[in-house]
Amino acid sequence: MSTTEVRTDVRTDIRTERIGSTLLITIDRPQARNAVNAAVATGLAAALDELEADPALRVGVLTGADGTFSAGMDLKAALRGESPEVPGRGFGGLTEAGPTKPLIAAVEGWAMGGGFELALGCDLIVAAGDARFGLPEVKRGLIAAGGGVIRLPKRIPYHLAMEFLLTGEPVSGRRAGDLGLVNRVTDTGDATAVALQLAEQVAMNAPLALAAVKGIVRAADGVPEADAFAVQREEMGDLTASADVREGMNAFAERRAPQWTGE
């Protein structure tokens, strides 16, 4: 891997590291099991802005410090009047943000409530086999309003999603893999390393094409096929006019690795 650049903002409890073309984003509040308060939410939003703004960054990996992904909303902070949401971006500054670049969750330990919803807000999930995923909001008189109620029934069969949402009971990372919620199941402690490897695979591809895939999948959700194809035609028009498409064809013909410019 290339030289790693580490930037830490103690105020926001978010740490970012540039590893090649990947931005590793770590929620760094281990004393609170990486629960999300207002500072974490604004810090995570800022990290996503960094990912989006820099053309040298192709993929983001989101994880938590010291063997815990995130315990979800910081209830003590919420009782003090803090909001774990960022206006227009949702819980943790992520769940409604819709970043154009691929985002991978690397889950160790607990991903509970809003922590699980942060993972659901990512495009891919890598988890340790003994990680724990759950949406316990109903146990506290709430619902999983950070995307859990909306997204989970689209990811797994209805009855399985409803078991999460109605019982509030967690499942292991291995069980989440069996359900199709997780792309890779790893040994304990290996989730971030495997997520970074997966990020490298993704980053080898054309950045405009990656963004187009995300845009089309998002636009096609719940709409008639004719509307989805209309969006796809528009995206394809932009792609076929790009320099990267020509570079991809030339690289194939010349039997070399493409040099993407994102143009």
Side-chain angles (χ1 to χ4, degrees), residues 94-201:
L94 166 62
T95 59
E96 298 175 47
T100 65
K101 294 182 181 179
L103 197 57
I104 304 172
V107 179
E108 299 276 356
W110 293 94
M112 296 296 289
F116 189 4
E117 290 171 314
L118 290 178
L120 288 172
C122 297
D123 302 293
L124 305 170
I125 302 176
V126 175
D130 61 355
R132 303 290 283 175
F133 293 87
L135 295 170
E137 283 83 354
V138 291
K139 294 177 179 288
R140 303 184 181 97
L142 299 170
I143 65 169
V149 172
I150 294 170
R151 290 194 170 113
L152 192 58
K154 297 178 181 178
R155 309 290 172 82
I156 58 177
Y158 172 85
H159 296 97
L160 297 176
M162 293 304 283
E163 184 174 348
F164 274 97
L165 293 164
L166 296 178
T167 69
E169 292 298 317
V171 303
S172 69
R174 195 160 303 282
R175 173 61 175 159
D178 292 340
L179 295 177
L181 275 170
V182 172
N183 298 83
R184 304 279 191 278
V185 178
T186 74
D187 292 335
T188 302
D190 289 346
T192 296
V194 172
L196 289 169
Q197 292 171 357
L198 187 56
E200 286 185 359
Q201 289 181 289

Side-chain angles (χ1 to χ4, degrees), residues 7-178:
R7 300 178 182 179
T8 304
D9 187 336
V10 176
R11 179 180 58 83
T12 61
D13 296 312
I14 294 292
R15 185 172 71 250
T16 61
E17 305 171 45
R18 291 167 177 251
I19 304 174
S21 57
T22 299
L23 185 67
L24 176 62
I25 305 168
T26 304
I27 305 172
D28 196 10
R29 291 189 74 212
Q31 74 281 3
R33 294 197 301 169
N34 300 321
V36 178
N37 58 7
V40 167
T42 56
L44 182 50
L48 293 175
D49 285 344
E50 180 183 352
L51 173 64
E52 289 288 300
D54 191 339
L57 293 170
R58 303 284 177 82
V59 185
V61 171
L62 176 63
T63 193
D66 287 9
T68 296
F69 185 72
S70 174
M73 179 173 66
D74 186 329
L75 295 177
K76 292 180 181 178
L79 287 171
R80 293 194 299 269
E82 289 188 30
S83 173
E85 298 190 2
V86 174
R89 295 181 178 225
F91 180 82
L94 166 62
T95 59
E96 298 175 47
T100 65
K101 294 182 181 179
L103 197 57
I104 304 172
V107 179
E108 299 276 356
W110 293 94
M112 296 296 289
F116 189 4
E117 290 171 314
L118 290 178
L120 288 172
C122 297
D123 302 293
L124 305 170
I125 302 176
V126 175
D130 61 355
R132 303 290 283 175
F133 293 87
L135 295 170
E137 283 83 354
V138 291
K139 294 177 179 288
R140 303 184 181 97
L142 299 170
I143 65 169
V149 172
I150 294 170
R151 290 194 170 113
L152 192 58
K154 297 178 181 178
R155 309 290 172 82
I156 58 177
Y158 172 85
H159 296 97
L160 297 176
M162 293 304 283
E163 184 174 348
F164 274 97
L165 293 164
L166 296 178
T167 69
E169 292 298 317
V171 303
S172 69
R174 195 160 303 282
R175 173 61 175 159
D178 292 340

